[in-house]
Amino acid sequence: MTGRRAADIFAINLIVQLNDACRVALRKLVQIVKIRGFVGASPDFQRSPQVIDSASEILIRVFGQRVRHSGFAIAVNSSPRNKVIEAT
């Protein structure tokens, strides 16, 4: 699985969780403040921001510009249960 694909799955799962938690129409979502991403990668990997950007692009496609947010991405050499993406 590629990092961008894992980020896409993260974004889709986030949308499902938001829907379950809010119990209201997601069109009422006002803002996403920040996406923090930890990307499982080798020490020489330099494209962590592009991986997390993939999740951001999906969120903006679904909710529009109102959810444009800040974020950061860090490459890590290990993560819990060997996840490709750990994001909050």
Side-chain angles (χ1 to χ4, degrees):
M1 175 181 307
T2 67
R4 287 184 66 88
R5 178 73 177 132
D8 293 349
I9 292 169
F10 158 76
I12 293 165
N13 286 338
L14 177 61
I15 292 166
V16 170
Q17 290 177 22
L18 284 169
N19 186 54
D20 289 347
C22 294
R23 302 212 186 273
V24 296
L26 285 179
R27 62 183 158 72
K28 294 183 179 182
L29 179 68
V30 175
Q31 183 179 18
I32 294 175
V33 176
K34 183 184 290 187
I35 300 284
R36 298 177 291 190
F38 301 87
V39 179
S42 63
D44 61 337
F45 185 70
Q46 308 246 333
R47 296 191 317 262
S48 298
Q50 289 89 343
V51 171
I52 299 303
D53 283 349
S54 186
S56 296
E57 291 164 7
I58 286 180
L59 294 171
I60 291 168
R61 267 188 263 145
V62 170
F63 297 111
Q65 293 297 317
R66 73 181 187 274
V67 299
R68 192 165 281 286
H69 53 273
S70 67
F72 69 84
I74 298 172
V76 295
N77 63 3
S78 66
S79 62
R81 290 176 274 181
N82 293 321
K83 292 180 183 176
V84 176
I85 298 282
E86 177 77 23
T88 60

